[in-house]
Amino acid sequence: MAWHPPRPPRPPPASLDTIPWFGIFQNVKPRGLPEISRSALLARPQHVEAFAALAHQTRLELFFLLVRRGSEVSAGELQEALEVPGPTLSHHLAALRRAGLVESRKEERYVYYSVKRDMVTELVRLLTACC
């Protein structure tokens, strides 16, 4: 049998306030996370509703399309891009709007949709602070 050096001891599990960098070899100290208030880590009913709205494949694709565009998109363009019937698209957009992820603006007979950046930023902060 070949000789192998002993394995270093395993570091303790990371807590929510540290991120271990190469901790298994104990050659770098853990770096602390920026201070986040406890209230920022609490999931509110709005967050639950937003995640529930994104739990459907068509709505998730619709949301991704709006995020990638980065600006207002007409309902007709969304329907053409996703190839879904108008009533189905309207149903999914209403669910995203109720969840606070999308906002709409009507101009004459056209409706334009865009992502509500503040809610998306809040969800990303919540996920990255906890994970």
Side-chain angles (χ1 to χ4, degrees):
M1 282 182 57
W3 180 85
H4 295 286
R7 296 183 116 186
R10 291 198 174 268
S15 64
L16 288 178
D17 60 347
T18 61
I19 300 173
W21 293 93
F22 307 103
I24 195 165
F25 299 110
Q26 298 177 347
N27 60 350
V28 177
K29 292 182 182 177
R31 182 185 74 167
L33 287 173
E35 282 298 316
I36 299 173
S37 68
R38 283 263 188 228
S39 62
L41 295 177
L42 296 176
R44 298 191 317 249
Q46 297 92 335
H47 299 140
V48 175
E49 190 175 344
F51 287 125
L54 292 173
H56 190 279
Q57 183 176 354
T58 304
R59 286 193 288 266
L60 189 59
E61 289 173 1
L62 180 59
F63 182 73
F64 286 163
L65 178 66
L66 287 168
V67 169
R68 278 193 303 268
R69 291 282 177 96
S71 61
E72 292 182 329
V73 183
S74 71
E77 288 179 62
L78 293 171
Q79 183 180 1
E80 188 178 303
L82 292 177
E83 299 176 352
V84 295
T88 304
L89 179 69
S90 179
H91 167 75
H92 290 307
L93 285 167
L96 290 173
R97 195 171 50 246
R98 279 191 308 270
L101 294 168
V102 169
E103 57 191 355
S104 62
R105 177 181 66 86
K106 192 169 186 173
E107 185 177 302
E108 296 177 12
R109 61 181 209 179
Y110 298 101
V111 181
Y112 296 92
Y113 293 91
S114 61
V115 173
K116 286 182 79 173
R117 298 279 179 198
D118 55 342
M119 181 60 156
V120 174
T121 302
E122 203 172 308
L123 292 175
V124 169
R125 280 190 188 141
L126 179 69
L127 286 175
T128 55
C130 293
C131 299

